[in-house]
């Protein structure tokens, strides 16, 4: 067992187990600590999951908390923002679903230099760029912005033909309302004392 500089002098007992077969999960290491009183935490470390629990916990409590923490980690990981490759795959699926696969971008990627737009498209190149500010927003909002930019590959301007294309997406109005709300909230004055300041 290697020394833990953050918990020097803390007695720890470690147990390692394999996850249920077929789960696709990594090995699970439970670390018990006499200094830990009530809190339970977990994190990924290489190809295993480490769960930190108080030393006094029973085996039944340990089993329950390991399950709870694995579920929490899975939920956190499922909320992660897609990378450029996933964004490109998502654009392909949306084009197939809403535009009969007619909008075919050459590239789709996140960018950090768009602070006044949610996305942009260069039809001549077939490239689509989404603002990093969309990261963490609901999927239906990201899908709407992707569809908006995909529609520009078919119709360059914002005329009636363009908006007719977007009518196929059932959450267009909801996504537009969400984005308008974000813009409005950014314009609100900063109130001292708000948010625990």
């Amino acid at each position: 067992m290697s020394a833990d500089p953050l918990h020097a002098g803390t007695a720890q007992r470690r147990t390692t187990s394999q996850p249920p077969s077929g789960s696709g999960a990594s090995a699970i290491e439970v670390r018990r600590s006499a200094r830990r009183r009530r809190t339970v935490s977990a994190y990924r470390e290489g190809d295993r999951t480490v769960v930190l629990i108080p030393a006094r916990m029973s085996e039944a409590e340990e089993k329950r908390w390991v399950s709870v923490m694995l579920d929490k980690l899975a939920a956190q990981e499922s909320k992660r923002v897609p990378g450029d490759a996933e964004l490109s795959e998502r654009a392909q699926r949306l084009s197939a679903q809403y535009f009969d696969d007619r909008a075919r971008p050459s590239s789709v990627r996140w960018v950090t230099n768009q602070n006044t737009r949610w996305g942009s498209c260069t039809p001549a190149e077939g490239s689509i760029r989404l603002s990093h500010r969309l990261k963490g927003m609901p999927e239906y909002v990201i899908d709407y912005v992707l569809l908006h930019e995909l529609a520009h590959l078919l119709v360059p301007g914002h005329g009636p033909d363009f908006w007719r294309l977007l009518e196929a997406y059932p959450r267009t109005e909801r996504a537009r309302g969400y984005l308008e709300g974000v813009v409005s909230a950014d314009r609100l004055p900063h109130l001292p004392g708000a948010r625990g300041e």
Side-chain angles (χ1 to χ4, degrees):
M1 175 166 52
S2 62
D4 182 354
L6 295 176
H7 299 100
T10 303
Q12 290 188 344
R13 182 172 61 108
R14 296 180 186 200
T15 57
T16 304
S17 63
Q18 293 299 321
S21 62
S23 69
S26 59
I28 301 162
E29 179 179 332
V30 177
R31 295 182 187 169
R32 291 175 170 263
S33 170
R35 293 180 78 180
R36 189 175 282 269
R37 297 286 179 217
R38 290 185 291 258
T39 60
V40 176
S41 61
Y43 59 92
R44 304 283 191 211
E45 186 176 80
D47 63 346
R48 64 186 166 170
T49 301
V50 177
V51 181
L52 307 169
I53 64 172
R56 63 169 177 70
M57 271 193 185
S58 69
E59 294 297 319
E61 287 175 311
E62 174 184 319
K63 186 175 179 180
R64 183 177 70 82
W65 275 106
V66 165
S67 177
V68 166
M69 297 313 288
L70 288 175
D71 288 346
K72 281 188 175 188
L73 280 175
Q76 289 171 353
E77 290 165 352
S78 73
K79 291 180 183 176
R80 287 204 175 123
V81 176
D84 290 349
E86 292 92 352
L87 205 56
S88 185
E89 290 170 13
R90 195 176 198 166
Q92 290 172 3
R93 283 193 308 272
L94 290 167
S95 176
Q97 184 175 358
Y98 294 101
F99 301 146
D100 298 323
D101 207 24
R102 293 180 295 137
R104 295 177 175 238
S106 59
S107 68
V108 182
R109 62 192 174 94
W110 295 106
V111 293
T112 58
N113 63 350
Q114 291 190 65
N115 294 315
T116 59
R117 296 189 212 182
W118 296 114
S120 62
C121 173
T122 307
E125 296 173 6
S127 61
I128 292 175
R129 295 157 305 280
L130 294 191
S131 172
H132 71 286
R133 296 179 308 137
L134 289 165
K135 292 181 177 184
M137 289 189 187
E139 288 187 9
Y140 74 90
V141 174
I142 296 171
D143 286 350
Y144 165 74
V145 175
L146 268 174
L147 279 165
H148 185 106
E149 301 311 329
L150 286 165
H152 280 307
L153 293 176
L154 304 173
V155 179
H158 287 105
D161 291 340
F162 174 84
W163 292 111
R164 264 193 293 281
L165 282 173
L166 286 179
E167 286 175 1
Y169 184 57
R171 292 183 154 188
T172 291
E173 288 306 313
R174 185 175 179 191
R176 287 175 55 106
Y178 184 98
L179 293 171
E180 287 170 6
V182 170
V183 170
S184 293
D186 285 346
R187 291 182 184 149
L188 291 174
H190 176 72
L191 300 175
R195 298 181 191 158
E197 295 174 6

